[in-house]
């Protein structure tokens, strides 16, 4: 069968999904309420369902009154029981897959349960919808005349109990139907390689001679791969390698720091960028029009949504509301109940609704200060713990600090830049920097992955602050006393640049 015919048939099948979407676009609240009742009915005989008497839940209000909002730390004991082989704990069907993601206060990594329903009715369904929406907006697309270059992770076997964990992307690749591999590159074998440097070379070798029409992956990792492709081929841009490129489906981290660099990699005004919002816990939203930064919240993936208004988050005024009560323009923390047994689970992300009916959002950040420019999801708990370890090993004492990203420029890799004010200086600053970088890798597995062989992140940059630098910064802004402080972590460089400028003004050397 000729490739154009295959392209036409695939487009027709995928576009049929548009009609199914119309239901939740017209009746979002009714679709969500019905979905919630389906979830509690399905799980009524699990340990969690029995504990909260799911069998008598008739509406959202009853559900919200009985089931508490939870964090990963709250659910970790139940998840560990399932990882050790126990089933029917929080979801009735067998759960053997766990998506490994960045750590929490109590653990280096999180292990998010992935049920068969989550695979089929959420993640795979979302993948089809992503293509469906793109094709609906680009009727002349020839996407399926070529292949999609996917960049995923690796998998490992949990040794004791045959539970399998790894990056979500690897779990998805490993479970895809055999025919899906025909439209993707590299092969499943290469996609699931565990050693990044070997994998990178193998991906380049397999893909440079393919007709790649799209690629999908996290911007920071993808940029490393794209630069390697250009180095290997000697080409000036990606269109010289793959002239039929149409679109890049991206998510995982903010795309803004990379936008200009990707335009240099693919110098074409017709090339499209489609953003998605997914996580280990589920697939949530998809850009549904060309050249938009707004994402359509997908309401029929087996995920029931609730939201915590950020203006009262973490206070005694905090409240949790369903989708029917959200307002445009406000920031909310996201709470989900899923078809993998996550009940009223705080994802940790914040979103802002840009429209209602249909519900479109933009991801605005995290509920805590963090750095996630390169997919490392570095949290304050990580940096506090790593700093304490480095101080313990070197005899240093720290008064204050803040951290910001060093953004990638061209082929230059990213990094984290620290400015630290010491109460007691380390005898060897370079040794302290080495210990701190290693300590970060021990407490955050995503940072460790990005630092592996300096493939995405270089070793952290350390500036030693002059005495009273942080105090003077706060004093200049009339923020002495109370709860005022400089954020420990930021995805932007504003705080760090202000501190470095103040340090230079004083005549100190960073």
């Amino acid at each position: 069968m000729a490739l154009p015919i295959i392209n036409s048939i695939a487009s027709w099948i995928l576009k049929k999904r548009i009609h199914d979407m119309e239901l939740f676009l017209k009746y979002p609240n009714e679709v969500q309420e019905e979905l919630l009742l389906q979830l509690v009915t399905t799980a009524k005989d699990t340990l969690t369902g029995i504990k909260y008497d799911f069998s008598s839940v008739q509406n959202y209000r009853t559900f919200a009154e009985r089931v508490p909002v939870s964090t990963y730390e709250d659910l970790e004991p139940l998840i560990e029981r399932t990882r050790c082989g126990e089933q029917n704990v929080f979801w009735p069907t067998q759960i053997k897959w766990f998506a490994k993601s960045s750590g929490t206060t109590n653990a280096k990594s999180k292990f998010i349960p992935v049920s068969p329903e989550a695979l089929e009715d959420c993640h795979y369904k979302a993948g089809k919808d992503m293509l469906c929406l793109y094709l609906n907006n680009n009727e002349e697309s020839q996407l399926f005349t070529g292949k999609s270059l996917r960049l995923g992770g690796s998998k490992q076997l949990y040794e004791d109990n045959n539970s399998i964990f790894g990056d979500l992307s690897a779990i998805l690749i490993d479970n895809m139907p055999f025919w899906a591999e025909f439209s993707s590159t590299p092969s499943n074998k290469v996609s699931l390689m565990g050693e990044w440097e070997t994998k990178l070379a193998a991906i380049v070798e397999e893909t440079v001679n393919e007709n790649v029409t799209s690629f999908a992956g996290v911007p920071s990792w993808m940029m490393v791969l794209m630069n390697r492709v250009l180095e290997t081929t000697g080409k000036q841009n990606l269109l010289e390698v793959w002239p039929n490129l149409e679109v890049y489906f991206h998510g995982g981290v903010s795309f803004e720091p990379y936008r200009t660099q990707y335009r240099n990699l693919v110098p074409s005004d017709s090339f499209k960028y489609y953003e998605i919002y997914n996580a280990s816990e589920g697939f949530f939203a998809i850009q549904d029009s060309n050249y938009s930064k707004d994402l359509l919240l997908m309401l029929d993936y087996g995920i029931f949504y609730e939201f915590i208004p950020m203006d009262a988050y973490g206070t005694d005024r905090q409240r949790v509301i369903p989708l029917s009560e959200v307002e445009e323009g406000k920031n909310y923390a996201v709470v989900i109940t899923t078809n993998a047994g996550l009940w009223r689970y705080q994802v940790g992300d914040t979103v802002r609704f840009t429209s209602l009916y249909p519900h479109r959002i933009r991801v605005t950040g995290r509920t805590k200060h963090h750095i996630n420019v390169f997919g490392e999801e570095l949290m304050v708990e990580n940096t506090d713990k790593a700093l304490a370890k480095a101080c313990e090993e070197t005899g240093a004492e720290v008064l204050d600090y803040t951290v910001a990203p060093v953004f990638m420029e061209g082929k230059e890799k990213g990094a984290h830049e620290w400015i630290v004010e010491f109460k007691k200086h380390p005898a060897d600053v370079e040794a302290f920097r080495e210990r701190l970088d290693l300590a970060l890798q021990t407490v955050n597995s995503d940072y460790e992955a990005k630092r592996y062989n300096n493939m995405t992140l270089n070793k952290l940059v350390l500036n030693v602050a002059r005495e009273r630098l942080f105090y003077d910064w706060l004093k200049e802004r009339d923020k002495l006393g109370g709860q005022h402080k400089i954020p420990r972590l930021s995805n932007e460089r504003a705080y760090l640049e202000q501190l470095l400028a103040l340090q230079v003004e004083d005549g100190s050397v960073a």
Side-chain angles (χ1 to χ4, degrees), residues 400-402 469-470 473-474 484-489 495 499:
D400 217 337
Y401 74 95
T402 193
L469 178 66
F470 285 78
W473 187 93
L474 292 167
H484 297 299
K485 64 180 180 180
I486 300 171
R488 297 294 199 200
L489 307 180
Y495 299 114
L499 286 163

Side-chain angles (χ1 to χ4, degrees), residues 35-48:
L35 190 153
L36 174 62
L37 295 179
Q38 290 173 351
L39 292 174
V40 297
T41 298
T42 302
K44 63 183 176 61
D45 294 325
T46 64
L47 293 181
T48 299

Side-chain angles (χ1 to χ4, degrees), residues 308-320 346:
I308 304 174
M310 286 303 293
D311 56 6
Y313 183 86
T315 72
D316 55 7
R317 297 181 293 107
Q318 176 175 304
R319 60 195 181 97
V320 185
Q346 293 189 67

Side-chain angles (χ1 to χ4, degrees), residues 311-350:
D311 56 6
Y313 183 86
T315 72
D316 55 7
R317 297 181 293 107
Q318 176 175 304
R319 60 195 181 97
V320 185
I321 61 175
L323 184 68
S324 59
E325 297 181 25
V326 300
E327 298 177 41
E328 189 173 325
K330 288 190 174 182
N331 273 313
Y332 298 95
V334 181
V335 177
I336 59 173
T337 291
T338 77
N339 53 6
L342 296 176
W343 300 99
R344 306 196 83 196
Y345 176 87
Q346 293 189 67
V347 180
D349 293 330
T350 59

Side-chain angles (χ1 to χ4, degrees), residues 3 54 56 65 81 98 112 139 172 178 195 208 234 258 285 296 307 315 338 343 371 381-382 384 391 421 428 453 470:
L3 285 177
F54 281 179
S56 67
E65 289 173 350
R81 286 170 65 175
F98 295 86
I112 305 300
E139 294 189 355
L172 297 178
F178 71 92
E195 206 283 315
V208 291
Y258 308 99
L296 180 66
F307 302 90
T315 72
T338 77
W343 300 99
I371 298 179
E381 291 91 342
N382 300 149
D384 282 347
C391 285
E421 184 175 346
D428 186 337
N453 282 352
F470 285 78

Side-chain angles (χ1 to χ4, degrees), residues 90 172 207 253 280 361 379 413-414 437-438 477 485:
F90 42 78
L172 297 178
T207 60
V253 298
S280 298
I361 61 172
M379 308 300 291
K413 299 180 180 69
D437 192 74
L438 291 173
R477 290 154 180 80
K485 64 180 180 180

Side-chain angles (χ1 to χ4, degrees), residues 188-207:
N188 286 4
K189 180 180 178 181
V190 170
S191 293
L192 294 173
M193 281 184 175
E195 206 283 315
W196 170 251
E197 192 166 343
T198 303
K199 175 177 176 175
L200 193 66
I203 291 175
V204 174
E205 182 179 356
E206 277 201 6
T207 60

Side-chain angles (χ1 to χ4, degrees), residues 26-129:
K26 291 181 179 178
Y27 307 105
N29 301 321
E30 292 83 353
V31 167
Q32 279 279 280
E33 179 90 12
E34 182 180 353
L35 190 153
L36 174 62
L37 295 179
Q38 290 173 351
L39 292 174
V40 297
T41 298
T42 302
K44 63 183 176 61
D45 294 325
T46 64
L47 293 181
T48 299
I50 294 170
K51 178 179 181 180
Y52 297 114
D53 191 16
F54 281 179
S55 62
S56 67
V57 171
Q58 300 295 321
N59 51 49
Y60 167 70
R61 177 175 294 182
T62 304
F63 172 76
E65 289 173 350
R66 292 183 185 175
V67 183
V69 173
S70 61
T71 64
Y72 181 79
E73 288 83 0
D74 298 325
L75 299 181
E76 185 180 21
L78 296 180
I79 291 173
E80 283 303 302
R81 286 170 65 175
T82 304
R83 287 186 69 209
C84 291
E86 187 176 353
Q87 296 294 330
N88 205 43
V89 177
F90 42 78
W91 190 249
T93 58
Q94 183 183 21
I95 294 178
K96 66 174 182 177
W97 294 93
F98 295 86
K100 181 181 177 184
S101 64
S102 61
T104 64
T105 304
N106 299 324
K108 180 179 177 180
S109 296
K110 296 188 294 184
F111 296 90
I112 305 300
V114 181
S115 68
E117 292 87 351
L119 281 174
E120 292 296 334
D121 300 332
C122 182
H123 294 290
Y124 290 150
K125 187 175 182 179
K128 296 173 187 175
D129 283 354

